[in-house]
């Protein structure tokens, strides 16, 4: 099972691909950051994020995309940009019939560290250990994207298979409607 | 000058096309609503909005797209969906090199009614009068989309021309980078 994790953001969008199944050692397939210039117009930043995500989907062909669920409790100024970047990531995946799962930051932290209130360093340390890396991936957004992918792989596999079937079916139906 | 106004929303996305120039009577070219089912998955709702906006762009070929600027002061539950729907609308326009302008709700109300605190009925009444319609467009999202387009046309025309040149240039540059 191959999962692309996306930690959405307008300036830095963390992306990480992890392969494996629950109960077995996991493998990191790729990790990186999609960046957009702070001074660019919002529309163009969204286009740049779309192009970046499309490249990751083309190159790594994930079966699932896991995106951090955005809450509006966070910093009011950044949360809108995060919501908009996450929309682009979800759109890119759903358009291809790849199921999209949303996980909250505390679900992800709990999955990889055992505590929903773990800090960035703890998440980075566990991602490094679980994927047998030499050092924690930098920046933190990249490590968070890998943590999202790991969290997703460790969910109930049966649920994932069902979601995959539904997503593919819906994508075909949507395509048919406008064809 | 032809403008597509978009009042973003996941359940109802108001869309309206207005043609004209500042100081002359304006013409409504089209008005409608892009709807997505409340019970569908978020990714598929975003795909449906993308398809709806693309159809409006294909059919009406606007020179500008005006989108309501989303604020997080609003209802916390709906604002994330509004931000995500607006991201899709901006993405569709920017991808084609169409300049995107954001206007706040109070800028739009002030433009069409003279007061930034006008209510829905007042905005609907003025849209009806300015576009010489028989009745206010329903639902309110559709009327708001037309008001956005009117607000945009009444901005300084020189500023619009400049923005159009910049958007086209940036879209070409973005395309070149990934080609």
């Amino acid at each position: 099972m191959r999962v692309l994790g996306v930690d959405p953001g307008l300036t830095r969008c963390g992306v990480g691909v992890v392969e494996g199944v629950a109960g077995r050692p996991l493998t990191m397939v790729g990790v990186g950051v999609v960046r957009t210039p702070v001074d660019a117009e919002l529309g163009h930043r969204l286009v740049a994020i779309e192009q970046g995500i499309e490249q990751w989907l083309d190159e790594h062909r994930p079966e699932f995309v896991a995106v951090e669920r955005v809450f509006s409790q966070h910093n009011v100024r950044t949360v809108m940009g995060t919501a908009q970047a996450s929309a682009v990531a979800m759109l890119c995946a759903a358009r291809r019939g790849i199921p999209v799962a949303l996980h909250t930051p505390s679900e992800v932290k709990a999955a990889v560290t055992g505590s929903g209130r773990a800090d960035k360093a703890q998440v980075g340390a566990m991602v490094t250990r679980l994927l047998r890396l030499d050092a924690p991936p930098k920046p933190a957004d990249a490590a968070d994207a890998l943590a999202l992918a790991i969290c997703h792989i460790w969910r109930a596999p049966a649920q994932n298979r069902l979601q995959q079937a539904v997503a593919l079916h819906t994508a075909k139906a949507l395509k048919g409607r406008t064809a």
Side-chain angles (χ1 to χ4, degrees), chain A:
Chain A
M1 177 169 161
R2 181 174 279 207
V3 180
L4 170 68
V6 179
D7 183 29
L10 275 183
T11 307
R12 283 187 311 276
C13 209
V15 280
V17 182
V18 177
E19 200 169 63
V21 290
R24 297 266 194 87
L26 303 170
T27 310
M28 183 180 82
V29 177
V31 67
V33 177
V34 175
R35 294 174 196 273
T36 77
V38 178
D39 56 350
E41 276 191 26
L42 184 49
H44 296 127
R45 300 183 79 177
L46 297 172
V47 173
I49 290 171
E50 180 186 42
Q51 292 175 342
I53 297 288
E54 286 289 338
Q55 281 178 3
W56 278 82
L57 294 174
D58 280 342
E59 190 170 338
H60 296 292
R61 306 266 158 202
E63 294 153 279
F64 294 90
V65 172
V67 182
E68 188 178 293
R69 189 185 291 277
V70 184
F71 282 112
S72 32
Q73 286 93 307
H74 295 153
N75 183 323
V76 159
R77 276 198 70 81
T78 62
V79 80
M80 306 306 296
T82 310
Q84 289 164 332
S86 79
V88 174
M90 287 187 273
L91 176 69
C92 291
R95 223 160 32 189
R96 292 177 182 229
I98 303 172
V100 179
L102 299 174
H103 302 287
T104 67
S106 53
E107 282 168 353
V108 175
K109 289 174 189 172
V112 301
T113 74
S115 162
R117 286 170 299 166
D119 62 16
K120 289 265 175 209
Q122 218 179 325
V123 171
M126 283 309 294
V127 164
T128 310
R129 186 173 308 168
L130 293 166
L131 299 175
R132 290 152 294 136
L133 308 176
D134 295 329
K138 297 246 168 83
D141 315 75
D144 285 347
L146 291 170
L148 266 156
I150 296 171
C151 169
H152 189 78
I153 289 172
W154 286 351
R155 287 175 64 197
Q159 192 186 332
N160 281 333
R161 291 289 157 219
L162 178 66
Q163 203 193 6
Q164 200 170 26
V166 170
L168 206 60
H169 178 80
T170 316
K172 276 182 191 156
L174 278 169
K175 231 175 231 167
R177 219 168 55 187
T178 55

